[in-house]
Amino acid sequence: MRRAVWVGVALVASMPAGAHVSSSAPSPRCAFRIRTPEQSGVSFRHHSGSTGPEMRFMIECVGSGVGMFDADDDGDLDLYLVQGGDVKPNGEIVVGERSRDSLYLNDGFANFSEGGDEVGELSAGFGFGVVAGDVDDDGDEDILVMNLGLNDLLENRLDEDGVARFVRREDGGGFAGEVTDWSMGAALGDIDRDGDLDVYVANYLAHDLSHRMLSGSPCRWLGCEVPCGPEGLDPQGDRLYLNDGSGYFLEITKRTAVGKARPAYAFQPVFSDLDGDGDLDLFVSNDSMPNSFYVNEGLDAHGIPKLLEQSMRSGLALSDSGKEQAGMGVAVGDVDRDGLFDLVMTNFSREPNALYRNASCDASGALFFDEAGRFGLGRPSFFDLGWGATFFDVELDGDADLFIANGHVYPQVDACNISQVKFEQPDRIFFWESGRFVAGSLEGDDDLADLMQARASRGAAAGDLDRDGDVDVVVSVLGGAPRILENTSTHVGTWVGVDLRPVTDSVGSRVEVRTARSSEEPQASWVSEVRRGSSFLGTEPRRLHFGLPRTAEKVSVLVRWPDGTQESWVNQSTGQMLLLARGSGG
């Protein structure tokens, strides 16, 4: 049965016994511990052809993302893990039962059980990305899986007893693409503001085995023989689809600026209101080519979104030195607490990750500056090869910290003696301190040892898996088991969660949490946004989590829904998940 219980406008998620909270402010301690497969119940292992130095094709090296969302609407976060497949010596892929994805259901305390046949037909293609969202507007979240070949739409047919069962649409729901597509990530959002979720699919390159570079013969990177790509191979164009209101997608790529853009090696799209004008814009991280950025200018006379490509003008196309970067994953958050959403984009080894600070205003429109160096991300990330990225408040002190999953793309680098470059790399946590990020270190602090174990990490998703009030992390690993990192940090402050209903209307909503103003404390505020599709080839919880100062006992929540309607809920207690239904606020 569903555990969700209405209490006024709030679903109260009480902390279980043993949660680390004290009445006085404790000393900060940031710590994570790995939950092993035996402890978590997650026995999944990723595979994508050969392993180690035997990898000869790019399709073997990319890996997949993590889907973290509430599949059965019981109040906790489940995991959808995307599987790859097998690869023949000539580069042909082989899919079948070994390619079937896995859905793990959560009991509410981060104990997972694999859904198996009971959850229906999951995707069994050679998979890369996953995004979840209520595309058919029936109140539960469906799943879209991006493959090498046709993509899959899995419709969620949640019954009255809270049992989720997914049905694979034979026609792909209109968004399957072509058999020649190599799709990576996707994002859902109501780009035409008609009340349903549209989808953007990022495509990578044409996996044409007749191309001389895809023969399995190696190319060279810094003198090391490695799999070929992407440079030298033909990039593919992305695809944009509008939802017809029933969960069926109609492709409009050629009727928009997306179809007119130069094809690129695209990884991760993100829908977000980046210029602050109330509608969803679109950023796409591109590998070894300028990034794409489409400003939403409303609808044309035929109801088609008018998208204006503004990557160069806005400052989002290139690095601060004017260079193309190997854009991988994308994290979106208000880093400097100015009410505008900033972007972090992970990049290749021997180039720093990017931090695009948002300086948009009415006079200039969308405007960003790559200030990774100023904010402490540049030098520490130079030798890392980053993939998944996500913002969350690790120890609940009111600041947005940053997690980045790392791992090289080429297993062959270990034998090439390239200075400070290894295939397995430690993931990183960057703490926000005094207006800049400070990299977590193992020196004198083994509380981060589990988090920073070297792996070939890929996707990353953050959410409160065990409902203890802080945020945990799941990281996918190329050719290995996912890492479930339980947050065991001391709670310096408190928190509040926001779960907006209905599910479809929540996507794209902007949420602001404000503390009360008093003679002792000035009013403070935090903003976030419900997104479907982010990090690297993944999807993160649509329930928003805010870390707050310990003094914040009551807050007000202001919501701007995707259609521009605004509501507020005042005098809400912290330390709980608030279930806010549209129309119930002031």
Side-chain angles (χ1 to χ4, degrees), residues 284-332:
V284 186
S285 63
N286 292 326
D287 185 359
S288 307
M289 300 180 74
N291 302 313
S292 303
F293 176 53
Y294 299 96
V295 174
N296 191 340
E297 296 290 310
L299 303 178
D300 65 16
H302 304 287
I304 302 299
K306 294 189 292 185
L307 302 178
L308 187 62
E309 214 293 328
Q310 292 278 279
S311 58
M312 286 292 184
R313 184 187 182 281
S314 67
L316 287 172
L318 306 169
S319 71
D320 61 345
S321 58
K323 294 182 179 180
E324 299 170 346
Q325 295 181 290
M328 307 287 196
V330 183
V332 185

Side-chain angles (χ1 to χ4, degrees), residues 3-263:
R3 291 196 291 270
V5 179
W6 285 89
V7 183
V9 299
L11 172 67
V12 181
S14 301
M15 286 193 175
H20 27 275
V21 181
S22 63
S23 58
S24 60
S27 300
R29 186 179 69 86
C30 303
F32 291 81
R33 66 183 174 207
I34 291 179
R35 297 203 69 202
T36 65
E38 293 75 21
Q39 293 168 331
S40 67
V42 178
S43 58
F44 178 91
R45 289 191 68 88
H46 176 265
H47 65 270
S48 60
S50 300
T51 59
E54 300 303 315
M55 289 185 176
R56 300 165 57 207
F57 302 97
M58 278 295 296
I59 54 173
E60 298 176 301
C61 302
V62 174
S64 59
V66 174
M68 184 185 290
F69 62 100
D70 190 354
D72 49 5
D73 198 28
D74 63 353
D76 51 46
L77 297 174
D78 309 305
L79 299 176
Y80 190 96
L81 301 175
V82 181
Q83 188 58 276
D86 293 310
V87 182
K88 293 181 179 180
N90 66 352
E92 292 182 14
I93 66 168
V94 180
V95 297
E97 187 57 32
R98 271 172 51 85
S99 304
R100 187 179 189 270
D101 299 343
S102 294
L103 176 64
Y104 286 87
L105 301 176
N106 191 347
D107 71 349
F109 302 97
N111 302 308
F112 294 89
S113 58
E114 187 170 10
D117 293 336
E118 294 181 2
V119 296
E121 186 180 6
L122 305 183
S123 181
F126 199 113
F128 292 91
V130 57
V131 64
D134 183 10
V135 301
D136 52 7
D137 198 23
D138 63 353
D140 50 43
E141 296 210 77
D142 310 293
I143 304 172
L144 288 73
V145 182
M146 275 50 68
N147 297 315
L148 176 59
L150 297 177
N151 300 321
D152 284 322
L153 170 59
L154 311 177
E155 290 185 325
N156 190 347
R157 298 183 180 176
L158 187 68
D159 66 23
E160 295 181 354
D161 294 323
V163 177
R165 185 170 181 83
F166 291 89
V167 176
R168 178 176 172 271
R169 287 280 296 266
E170 289 299 327
D171 58 1
F175 105 111
E178 303 291 339
V179 293
T180 53
D181 287 356
W182 182 359
S183 299
M184 287 293 189
L188 291 165
D190 186 4
I191 196 169
D192 56 357
R193 303 179 80 171
D194 65 350
D196 51 42
L197 297 182
D198 312 303
V199 61
Y200 187 98
V201 178
N203 287 333
Y204 195 58
L205 58 78
H207 189 67
D208 180 3
L209 294 178
S210 67
H211 196 292
R212 60 182 179 81
M213 290 181 64
L214 289 178
S215 64
S217 298
C219 292
R220 288 189 174 273
W221 179 73
L222 298 181
C224 190
E225 291 189 347
V226 299
C228 293
E231 293 182 276
L233 299 171
D234 297 327
Q236 284 187 326
D238 299 343
R239 297 181 186 272
L240 177 61
Y241 302 86
L242 290 186
N243 194 328
D244 71 353
S246 68
Y248 192 86
F249 294 100
L250 306 172
E251 185 173 1
I252 60 164
T253 308
K254 294 181 179 180
R255 301 175 67 182
T256 69
V258 176
K260 299 177 177 65
R262 175 190 177 193

Side-chain angles (χ1 to χ4, degrees), residues 39 69 112 124 161 214 341 352 357 362 401 456 469 521 527 543 560 568:
Q39 293 168 331
F69 62 100
F112 294 89
D161 294 323
L214 289 178
F341 295 119
R357 184 181 64 83
D362 291 340
D401 308 305
E521 296 283 346
V527 297
R543 299 185 185 112
R560 187 187 69 197
S568 63

Side-chain angles (χ1 to χ4, degrees), residues 19 71 131 135 226 229 238 246 263 271 274 279 289 293 299 305 312 314 373 423 434-435 455 491 510 553 557 561:
V131 64
V135 301
V226 299
D238 299 343
S246 68
F271 281 121
L274 293 175
D279 53 29
M289 300 180 74
F293 176 53
L299 303 178
M312 286 292 184
S314 67
F423 178 59
S434 303
R455 291 287 189 276
H491 287 180
R510 175 188 170 96
E553 297 181 356
V557 181
W561 299 93

